[in-house]
Amino acid sequence: MASVDSLIQRNAASLGMLASADHFHEPLAIDAEDTEALLAGLQRMILIRVVEEKIGDMVSQGVVKCPCHLAIGQEAPAVGVASYVRQGDRVFGAHRSHSHFLALGGSPHGLLAEVQGKDTGVSRGMGGSMHLIDIPNGLYGTVPIVGATIPIAVGAGLAAKMDGNGAMAVSFFGDGATEEGVFHESMNLAALMKIPVLFVCENNFFSSHLHIALRQPDASVCRYAEAHRIEWARADGNDLAAVRAVTREAVAAIRAGDGPRFLELVTYRWRGHVGHREDEDVGVKRKDDLAAWKLRDPISRLAVSLEEINALNRQQLKQFWTEAHVVVEEAWSTATHDGYPPAKALLSRVYSGTMANKH
């Protein structure tokens, strides 16, 4: 029987160097014309990083008690794709969607209140980390059931097509979701009906604690798009400029009426499947890989790139981090003093009909 290491090496062949933690440590190749967008993206990624580190700290201290799946290290896919979402589009996420919520413009206070179960949370304290919604910013829902929002996104895309308003749907999911039957049913229907939906797979190699090499015969999931005759693109998910480039092209095609598009963004999460730990404690070989992947940090690579073209200096970068910490600490403090929902809300906000009226 092949060893785990040999399986990982063999099954990652189609991803090439994208699968290797030892590559892509250098600064990004960026276009000076995108400087303002990249600076804004850098600030947003820093905010996401600081918010999630705060949540991780509070999980470790036992203050946040709901399950939290952190996306630290894979901020670029959320920010890059969100930069091409416009009003009227409908975005859906999964269990690891703090980054999507914040990338679309969600309130740090609303998120930090939600993970504390407060009435001021984005789901009124009923959803916790995994059930986020922010319709004004285009986020129509995140749920922890693997692959569950993919068909809903296709339905939203179909509605947009029938409305003829030029809007699209976006479905964020991980590589584990591609093993769900509903993923393939959704891809088939979207292709058949040319539904305006952007499928975005954040391929971080792990489904819970199991590496993709032990779950699939190939580490790349683009072959599924090919099977369903959907145009696809693959990019370094830790390179904001690359993510923006493939997203820009895909979204232009979707809005032109060419049907769905599929993006595979190769990235890596720094924390465990759930909670604040870096999950070296669950028998998963990540210790060596994680150290190398941290050198592929989407934030520091972009910052160095911007410095090299004199679009950013060390003082400005320090200010970005300081501002993010101020925003997060103020939001956390406010959320901590917010009230909890009334007990009767357990029924009225979860159920409808007669059940909702029971006290």
Side-chain angles (χ1 to χ4, degrees), residues 9-321:
Q9 186 174 10
R10 184 185 70 191
N11 293 359
S14 60
L15 287 177
M17 290 190 296
L18 283 177
S20 171
D22 296 325
H23 293 86
F24 300 103
H25 297 170
E26 68 279 3
L28 311 179
I30 60 175
D31 187 335
E33 292 183 3
D34 292 333
T35 297
E36 291 302 319
L38 292 174
L39 279 169
L42 177 65
Q43 286 183 277
R44 185 58 58 173
M45 290 199 295
I46 289 173
L47 177 63
I48 293 170
R49 177 73 58 87
V50 175
V51 168
E52 291 220 291
E53 287 178 337
K54 182 69 178 182
I55 292 173
D57 289 345
M58 293 300 105
V59 169
S60 70
Q61 295 178 32
V63 177
V64 171
K65 302 181 186 303
C66 65
C68 290
H69 302 72
L70 303 174
I72 294 173
Q74 53 182 67
E75 294 88 354
V79 172
V81 172
S83 62
Y84 290 96
V85 171
R86 69 187 190 192
Q87 190 170 16
D89 294 338
R90 295 171 181 176
V91 182
F92 299 83
H95 57 280
R96 197 180 310 282
S97 280
H98 299 162
S99 58
H100 308 137
F101 170 85
L102 293 167
L104 289 165
S107 155
H109 168 258
L111 175 58
L112 295 173
E114 188 58 41
V115 298
Q116 295 184 67
K118 297 301 182 71
D119 199 29
T120 52
V122 293
S123 297
R124 304 291 303 277
M126 298 289 110
S129 165
M130 296 186 285
H131 300 87
L132 307 176
I133 188 167
D134 186 12
I135 290 177
N137 283 315
L139 184 65
Y140 276 68
T142 71
V143 301
I145 300 173
V146 178
T149 57
I150 298 174
I152 301 173
V154 172
L158 177 59
K161 181 178 181 178
M162 295 174 70
D163 289 341
N165 57 15
M168 67 173 186
V170 178
S171 176
F172 283 106
F173 51 89
D175 48 285
T178 66
E179 294 153 21
E180 296 288 336
V182 73
F183 163 75
H184 298 277
E185 294 168 344
S186 300
M187 294 273 282
N188 178 67
L189 185 67
L192 180 68
M193 300 184 68
K194 298 187 71 171
I195 293 174
V197 56
L198 179 63
F199 298 99
V200 183
C201 180
E202 296 170 313
N203 185 352
N204 64 18
F205 302 103
F206 286 93
S207 177
S208 296
H209 310 296
L210 199 61
H211 195 279
I212 193 170
L214 301 175
R215 304 172 356 243
Q216 299 193 27
D218 193 302
S220 174
V221 298
C222 286
R223 66 189 190 282
Y224 297 132
E226 286 189 355
H228 292 290
R229 303 293 189 268
I230 294 176
E231 296 289 332
W232 59 269
R234 180 192 296 131
D236 177 4
N238 283 18
D239 179 339
L240 182 63
V243 172
R244 283 175 49 84
V246 293
T247 304
R248 179 168 54 244
E249 187 172 339
V251 170
I254 292 171
R255 296 202 194 282
D258 294 343
R261 289 293 184 272
F262 183 96
L263 300 180
E264 179 179 25
L265 306 176
V266 181
T267 185
Y268 206 81
R269 56 175 161 78
W270 293 6
R271 302 296 177 95
H273 167 61
V274 59
H276 67 287
R277 300 179 66 93
E278 293 186 343
D279 94 354
E280 296 161 9
D281 60 327
V282 294
V284 175
K285 181 183 176 301
R286 279 170 50 97
K287 188 173 182 179
D288 296 336
D289 288 348
L290 183 57
W293 274 98
K294 286 186 175 180
L295 298 177
R296 200 159 143 181
D297 179 6
I299 293 176
S300 61
R301 288 171 69 205
L302 177 58
V304 170
S305 306
L306 289 167
E307 288 181 55
E308 287 186 343
I309 63 170
N310 297 318
L312 179 73
N313 59 48
R314 288 301 171 100
Q315 185 59 35
Q316 290 171 311
L317 180 59
K318 183 179 179 181
Q319 184 178 347
F320 287 171
W321 284 101

